[in-house]
Amino acid sequence: MTLLVVWVDEEGADSQVELWRNFFCTETLRADLAARPAQSALMLDPDDPRLAYTPEKVHEYHTLYPLDNQTEETQVGSLGFSSRVFKAVSETDGCTYTLRKLDGVRVTGDIHATRKQWAELAHPCLVRLRNILITSDFDGGQSNALTFVHDFVFGAMSLEERFMRGGPEAAMAAVSEELLWSYISQLVSALRFVHGQGRALRCLHASKVLVTSQHRVQVSGVGILDVVGDRKQAVADSQADDLRALGSILLQTVCHSLEATTPTSLAGSVEYLAAHYHPDLKDLVVYLITQPGGVGHVSIFAASARIAGRLLEQLDHVYEQVDAAHTELAKELNNGRLCRLMVKLNMILERQEPGNPAAADAWSETGDRYLLKLFRDYVFHQYEGERRPLVDFGSVVQQLNKLDVGVPEKILLLSRDGATCLVVTYAELKACFERSFAELLDQGNYTQGGMGRRYQEAWTSVP
């Protein structure tokens, strides 16, 4: 096991702050992960008017919360029909999902086949389809509604919300070219995967492309038009539509407007793109939006070959992010190891003798447990001159790591009244620690096999 040694100078503040940065995950990552439980638990206030159309439970899903902020009347969306979107939590697995309820649609495709086909298509840039329901739970059993269940993307907003509804200030801020190429690489990757499976997305629109604060891109709404859309259109035509939709999304994002690709605005939008961005980006957008339908269109594979160099640049960024993620994981691995060590230590300390409550504090004040009690004071209750409390996080981490490893280094342990003075090694303390915890497990019947055996192995295995 690797020994983590952390040095902190005596001056204090700056080095302590740097220590916390090096030992714990970044504040951005922490805030993102900490917000997820809050998003899963979102509920409407009792006086919220959206309660009128938000049921308590739909099928196996509860804690519904509207995501589209619509009023009582639904609006026709980018897919050509009205719908409502809810966040919900499954009572089966406890995971959070998105429910999209469609109003007044006619089923034209095979629901079960579509669900099976799209559920098997897993890609990091696609919001996975999990289920398709026909349920009457939305209006108290009065009518059935077709509902699509997709994964929930935490902290995401659509490209339309991010770049086209932000008001004048957002409209004035140019989208960086580096960010655009990141979006392009992820969207092209999704299209290559879907088209390679002989299918088409059919849902590429700025309102269906979700982006996160980490610049991850995922396409939502997959499989919907395979159930309620036009079944007469050939797959080749649908794939050509995907290419044109990709070009349109990029141009709309650059120009901060869904109107950027209308016939009256298209020429001006392309001129703006050519004036402010690299020719490679302008050439790709024009190449995509001018694709003909049918057999005359090029494939996404040919389109991606034109920007292979740009895609490789994005791959470099991905490797950097993977390395950063491994660094964060290593921090949390060490934190988890020390957390388990402290939990076990505190289960031992200040405890009455197992199986003999009448013994009061005799068990914790004698033998191995007394050494561990003195060690606890040595680690967490140190003082410096004039009895000022010493708060040194680096020292605590260093000493706990030495205990976990069991190094032969000697330390001096003193009782609080100064009457007891013991010189021990970390290796001896570790042996005391393991014997004491094993005694707890034995007294608690955790060494008799079955669930107890698995519990013991979980606690005593090396992290």
Side-chain angles (χ1 to χ4, degrees):
M1 183 179 295
T2 302
L3 177 65
L4 174 64
V5 179
V6 183
W7 295 99
V8 180
D9 65 24
E10 297 178 355
E11 312 249 348
D14 292 341
S15 57
Q16 286 280 12
V17 170
E18 187 63 26
L19 168 66
W20 282 69
R21 289 175 179 170
N22 292 336
F23 195 69
F24 294 107
C25 68
T26 62
E27 181 61 23
T28 301
L29 179 59
R30 187 206 63 78
D32 176 61
L33 297 178
R36 295 192 175 198
Q39 294 176 38
S40 294
L42 279 174
M43 298 181 65
L44 292 174
D45 294 330
D47 57 349
D48 195 306
R50 292 174 293 175
L51 277 173
Y53 60 82
T54 304
E56 293 184 2
K57 185 178 180 181
V58 173
H59 202 251
E60 65 184 70
Y61 304 97
H62 59 86
T63 319
L64 273 70
Y65 185 87
L67 298 177
D68 43 19
N69 294 319
Q70 294 182 11
T71 55
E72 187 65 26
E73 296 183 0
T74 59
Q75 301 175 354
V76 177
S78 61
L79 298 179
F81 38 76
S82 60
S83 65
R84 294 191 189 276
V85 184
F86 301 87
K87 178 274 305 177
V89 178
S90 170
E91 65 182 15
T92 302
D93 58 14
C95 296
T96 308
Y97 296 94
T98 299
L99 307 185
R100 184 178 295 273
K101 170 183 173 283
L102 306 186
D103 299 317
V105 297
R106 184 171 62 90
V107 175
T108 59
D110 188 328
I111 290 179
H112 299 292
T114 300
R115 177 177 57 194
K116 183 177 185 299
Q117 291 167 354
W118 281 103
E120 293 174 350
L121 295 183
H123 188 274
C125 297
L126 296 178
V127 181
R128 197 168 183 180
L129 175 66
R130 296 295 183 174
N131 203 356
I132 305 175
L133 310 172
I134 296 180
T135 177
S136 59
D137 292 339
F138 281 100
D139 57 4
Q142 298 181 15
S143 61
N144 290 325
L146 183 64
T147 305
F148 290 80
V149 182
H150 292 85
D151 285 340
F152 182 78
V153 183
F154 289 92
M157 63 173 59
S158 69
L159 275 178
E160 182 180 1
E161 293 171 323
R162 172 69 177 81
F163 295 106
M164 304 167 204
R165 295 184 190 170
E169 292 184 2
M172 292 297 293
V175 185
S176 71
E177 189 161 331
E178 182 180 4
L179 181 59
L180 285 171
W181 283 113
S182 176
Y183 289 171
I184 291 169
S185 67
Q186 295 176 71
L187 291 172
V188 167
S189 177
L191 283 178
R192 283 175 60 93
F193 175 74
V194 174
H195 290 190
Q197 301 293 322
R199 306 188 67 81
L201 276 179
R202 306 181 69 187
C203 58
L204 266 183
H205 187 272
S207 64
K208 298 295 179 289
V209 177
L210 304 181
V211 294
T212 69
S213 57
Q214 291 79 34
H215 309 313
R216 288 283 290 107
V217 174
Q218 291 179 271
V219 181
S220 66
V222 298
I224 295 179
L225 290 181
D226 289 351
V227 174
V228 298
D230 181 9
R231 303 293 297 174
K232 298 180 181 179
Q233 188 175 32
V235 173
D237 291 331
S238 296
Q239 291 179 347
D241 289 344
D242 284 346
L243 294 180
R244 289 191 292 271
L246 174 58
S248 297
I249 288 173
L250 296 175
L251 194 55
Q252 291 164 352
T253 301
V254 166
C255 298
H256 298 277
S257 173
L258 290 175
E259 305 298 321
T261 53
T262 60
T264 56
S265 304
L266 183 59
S269 299
V270 173
E271 289 179 3
Y272 175 83
L273 176 64
H276 294 84
Y277 293 90
H278 195 279
D280 288 352
L281 184 57
K282 177 255 185 182
D283 292 343
L284 174 65
V285 170
V286 173
Y287 179 76
L288 292 172
I289 63 178
T290 57
Q291 288 303 313
V295 296
H297 86 282
V298 298
S299 69
I300 184 61
F301 302 97
S304 59
R306 296 172 61 95
I307 56 171
R310 294 286 188 173
L311 297 181
L312 288 175
E313 290 177 2
Q314 294 303 311
L315 187 60
D316 294 338
H317 297 318
V318 171
Y319 289 145
E320 292 175 358
Q321 293 174 353
V322 170
D323 290 340
H326 276 280
T327 300
E328 299 298 328
L329 180 60
K331 296 178 186 178
E332 298 312 309
L333 177 65
N334 281 311
N335 291 339
R337 177 172 53 81
L338 295 182
C339 176
R340 178 156 59 174
L341 183 69
M342 288 189 290
V343 169
K344 293 165 71 173
L345 183 62
N346 281 278
M347 285 183 172
I348 297 170
L349 297 174
E350 312 292 349
R351 179 188 288 272
Q352 294 179 344
E353 181 175 354
N356 186 15
D361 296 332
W363 188 76
S364 62
E365 294 293 333
T366 58
D368 294 339
R369 281 74 58 192
Y370 185 63
L371 285 176
L372 294 175
K373 179 180 178 180
L374 297 182
F375 177 74
R376 186 269 312 274
D377 287 346
Y378 174 79
V379 174
F380 295 102
H381 300 160
Q382 290 194 20
Y383 287 88
E384 50 187 355
E386 300 180 357
R387 299 290 290 176
R388 292 176 304 188
L390 178 62
V391 181
D392 189 340
F393 189 84
S395 175
V396 171
V397 171
Q398 188 178 52
Q399 291 155 10
L400 289 176
N401 272 299
K402 289 179 180 180
L403 173 66
D404 196 25
V405 175
V407 299
E409 178 184 338
K410 294 181 180 180
I411 57 174
L412 175 65
L413 301 180
L414 292 172
S415 61
R416 295 184 180 182
D417 59 7
T420 303
C421 177
L422 298 172
V423 176
V424 296
T425 66
Y426 284 99
E428 292 169 338
L429 286 169
K430 181 179 181 181
C432 294
F433 176 75
E434 292 176 344
R435 285 194 298 266
S436 298
F437 193 75
E439 186 175 344
L440 286 183
L441 294 179
D442 182 62
Q443 292 293 331
N445 294 323
Y446 290 107
T447 58
Q448 304 302 316
M451 285 298 294
R453 171 62 63 185
R454 289 196 289 274
Y455 180 86
Q456 183 194 28
E457 289 173 350
W459 273 103
T460 57
S461 61
V462 177

